[in-house]
Every structure is written in structure tokens, then in C-alpha cells.
Amino acid sequence: MDPKHSNREPYSYEQSGVSIAAGNALVKAIAPLARATARPGADANLGGFGGFFDPKAAGFRDPLLVAANDGVGTKVKLAIDHDRHDAIGIDLVAMCVNDLIVQGAEPLFFLDYFATGKLDHGVAERVVAGIAEGCKQAGCALIGGETAEMPGMYGPGDYDLAGFSVGAVERGEQLTGEAISPGDIILGLASSGVHSNGFSLVRRLAADKGWALDTPPPFDDTRNLLDALIEPTRIYVKALLPLLRAGRIHGLAHVTGGGLLENIPRILPDGCRALIDAGTWDQPALMAFLQSEGAIDPGEMARTFNCGIGMAVIVREDQARRVREALEAAGDTVHAIGRIAAGTRGCRIGGARGDWGAGADWEACHDA
């Protein structure tokens, strides 16, 4: 016998760093979390090769399906570095379902992707618990997902997340922005914090300025700075759905990367431009802190952060008061932040001296 082939130890998948048993144990542990998100159309059981959804059981007659996928960017690194895994899943859901509602679609189901070098059962379960909570806030079912253990791809303790959601809207009721016209009012729904955009800049500031994240910041002595930064993204679905179904909303823009300047023009028809007055709402203390610490130009703030507005709601002028009252009754803080005017498709933000805009005048045009 060739000595090279004698006395060889057998290889196994677990020796390479992948534990099938750990993955199976995780699925068993998170199954109750998924079942808690069940809704008409989905039983939210895990373990199959795919998840089923029945639009008819959900009450739809002739639905159009709308799909969205997203991640949470480098906010996940903040969660990893500080052992704050419990709410990052809410961010993951929010980034997807808020993109569905702006098209008039009710989120129906959600799937997640969790990738890591070595599966830490406790961390993964905490992340998925957050995902399940986000699904409950959005009224959608967690019907499946994928846990990928990939040694060598991620450093110790690192993981990444991606989410995928599908919603539905009755044919002819989809929100396209075509109804938007000059004279419409722009309402802004307050954000819960930084949400999930701009964290590469936040983390750079934290490192360069030596922020003590475990101590209260100068603007809020009731919690530490890390709590303020990692506050999960607000989910606007349940507040907006009744108004959409009543036909009271002309357009919605989820304020993510690109800020107000870049996101509002995405929903405007040709010949319409958004005029935003930065003096119509107070800049949140956290945003003022970031701007001051980084000496960030107002225009850069408007393209990088949500600046306190997580969702823009465009309505007919004679509907603005009723819509505002309904949203406030649902628990949202609402500001009248601007209007739609005739002109080149785009967004102009103006700030008088003394506003957080410091007299700046920024503009984004979308002619193409």
C-alpha cells in the first residue's frame, strides 16, 4: 500500500469549520419566533425548501407583487463591536418594508440571509428575534431565510445581513407618483434616529473624535451615545396603509441613502419639483451633534443623513390636515416641510440663517 494513503484521518465538514448540527439547532430555536409572525396567507413555518404565501387568503383579488431587498450597511459593525444584536434585525426589515409601502404595497412576507464565519448560536438567535419583531411591526410573515457559515470569509465574531420582502397592491391602486401636481403639500414623518444610512461616516467620526459611546452625549443625559446611534429604523407601514387604501396620498419617499435631496425626486413626475424649507422642523439633537462634531456642510448633511425626516408624504393641499391628524393618531410625529411647485423635476432645500441649514440653498435635479 502506498504510505501516502495509509493511516489517514478522515475529513469532516465540521473540521473545516462548518457545523450542520449548530445550524439545525438554530432553526429549531428560531422556529417559534417565525411562528409568532404568522398572518393570513402564511403559516410562517420554517424548515422547508421554500415558503408559501397565498394572496387570496390575505384578501387580495387581483394583486400586483412588489419586491424589495436591502441590508443595514455598516450599522451592523456597530452592533457587532458593542454586542448590540437585539434590534439590528428591525433595521433589516424596515429598510425593505418601508421601500414597499412607498409603492402602495402591503408587505406580505420576509426572508433573511445571515452570513458568518463561525455560527454563534446566541448571537444569531438574538438577530433573528429582532427580525421577527420587525416583521410584527410591519404586519408581514417571516417565512424563511438562510444561515450561511463560511469560514475564512468573515473575521471572528463578524456577520452580515440581507433581507428580502414581497408586498402586494391591488391592480390599479399602485402608487406611482403620477398623481403628484404643483400645489401639493409635503409632510415629513419624523425619523427615530440615524436609521441605517450614513454609518460609515458615523463610525469614522466616533474613531477620530474618540467618542465614549458608553456615556451620555452632551445632548441627552437619559441614555448613552451608543443607544442613540443604534436606535432601530422606524417602520411606517401600519400608519400609512389605511391612508393609502383611502386614496389620500399622492406619493411617498423613503428617506434613505441620498437623503431628502435624492429620494424625493425619485417619485416626482416631469414638470414637478419639491421645495423643502429646512426651517419647518427642528433638527434632532443627534443630527446637530453629528453635524457639529464633523463640521459637516449642510448640503452634505442633506445627502448623507435623513436630518430627522424618515418618510416624505405628498398629499393634496385640502387633504393635508386630515392626513396629518391620522398619522399623529397612529403615533407618528408629523411636520409640514414643503410643497410641490412647477419646474424641472428635482428637489430644492432652503434654510434661513439660524436654521440647521445655516442659510444654505441646495438642489438636486433629475432630468434624465
Side-chain angles (χ1 to χ4, degrees):
M1 178 181 292
D2 187 339
K4 291 187 298 183
H5 297 284
S6 62
N7 299 320
R8 293 186 304 171
E9 291 188 17
Y11 280 69
S12 71
Y13 207 9
E14 189 155 3
Q15 284 178 326
S16 71
V18 178
S19 173
I20 295 175
N24 291 339
L26 177 63
V27 171
K28 185 176 181 180
I30 65 178
L33 300 173
R35 283 196 295 271
T37 70
R39 54 152 295 158
D43 60 16
N45 282 325
L46 300 182
F49 287 96
F52 286 92
F53 192 92
D54 181 358
K56 184 176 288 187
F60 288 92
R61 301 180 305 277
D62 184 21
L64 296 175
L65 298 182
V66 186
N69 71 302
D70 212 334
V72 295
T74 58
K75 188 174 186 178
V76 75
K77 184 62 174 169
L78 197 66
I80 291 167
D81 289 347
H82 299 277
D83 190 30
R84 302 297 290 271
H85 312 288
D86 302 275
I88 198 72
I90 299 175
D91 288 289
L92 185 66
V93 175
M95 296 304 288
C96 294
V97 298
N98 284 342
D99 278 355
L100 294 178
I101 196 68
V102 300
Q103 295 169 97
E106 175 188 352
L108 301 178
F109 59 84
F110 188 88
L111 299 99
D112 69 279
Y113 175 77
F114 179 96
T116 187
K118 181 174 177 57
L119 185 60
D120 183 320
H121 188 286
V123 168
E125 188 173 349
R126 289 166 65 188
V127 171
V128 176
I131 292 171
E133 172 59 27
C135 286
K136 286 189 281 187
Q137 290 183 21
C140 65
L142 176 59
I143 65 170
E146 168 69 5
T147 302
E149 195 172 21
M150 299 187 289
M153 285 289 289
Y154 297 89
D158 283 347
Y159 62 83
D160 198 12
L161 297 172
F164 173 80
S165 190
V166 169
V169 57
E170 293 290 0
R171 189 180 303 274
E173 296 180 8
Q174 61 267 33
L175 203 60
T176 63
E178 292 178 357
I180 295 171
S181 62
D184 284 354
I185 299 298
I186 306 172
L187 302 176
L189 305 190
S191 63
S192 55
V194 184
H195 283 188
S196 293
N197 296 100
F199 273 90
S200 293
L201 177 52
V202 169
R203 291 173 53 249
R204 175 66 181 271
L205 281 171
D208 289 354
K209 303 295 182 179
W211 292 346
L213 298 182
D214 59 348
T215 62
F219 58 85
D220 185 356
D221 61 5
T222 65
R223 59 178 178 170
N224 63 40
L225 180 54
L226 179 61
D227 289 333
L229 291 173
I230 211 160
E231 182 76 25
T233 305
R234 186 165 181 82
I235 293 176
Y236 300 99
V237 170
K238 289 185 177 179
L240 290 169
L241 265 177
L243 294 166
L244 286 168
R245 288 171 174 163
R248 294 182 182 169
I249 294 176
H250 281 179
L252 292 168
H254 184 200
V255 184
T256 55
L260 289 161
L261 273 178
E262 300 290 345
N263 284 287
I264 293 179
R266 295 169 63 180
I267 63 169
L268 298 181
D270 289 339
C272 286
R273 61 193 287 97
L275 303 179
I276 305 294
D277 182 355
T280 54
W281 77 97
D282 291 330
Q283 187 189 39
L286 173 59
M287 295 293 169
F289 174 76
L290 294 173
Q291 186 173 16
S292 174
E293 287 286 291
I296 303 172
D297 179 79
E300 181 71 11
M301 284 292 295
R303 281 192 169 89
T304 304
F305 298 111
N306 62 57
C307 296
I309 302 297
M311 182 74 71
V313 184
I314 301 178
V315 299
R316 212 169 63 199
E317 185 175 15
D318 61 3
Q319 289 287 323
R321 181 181 62 82
R322 294 179 66 189
V323 169
R324 181 171 186 165
E325 289 174 351
L327 290 168
E328 289 175 340
D332 279 296
T333 299
V334 187
H335 308 280
I337 62 172
R339 60 186 177 87
I340 301 297
T344 303
R345 184 164 68 100
C347 180
R348 175 178 172 269
I349 302 180
R353 195 160 302 282
D355 297 337
W356 64 270
D361 188 7
W362 332 293
E363 189 160 357
C365 292
H366 286 246
D367 296 320

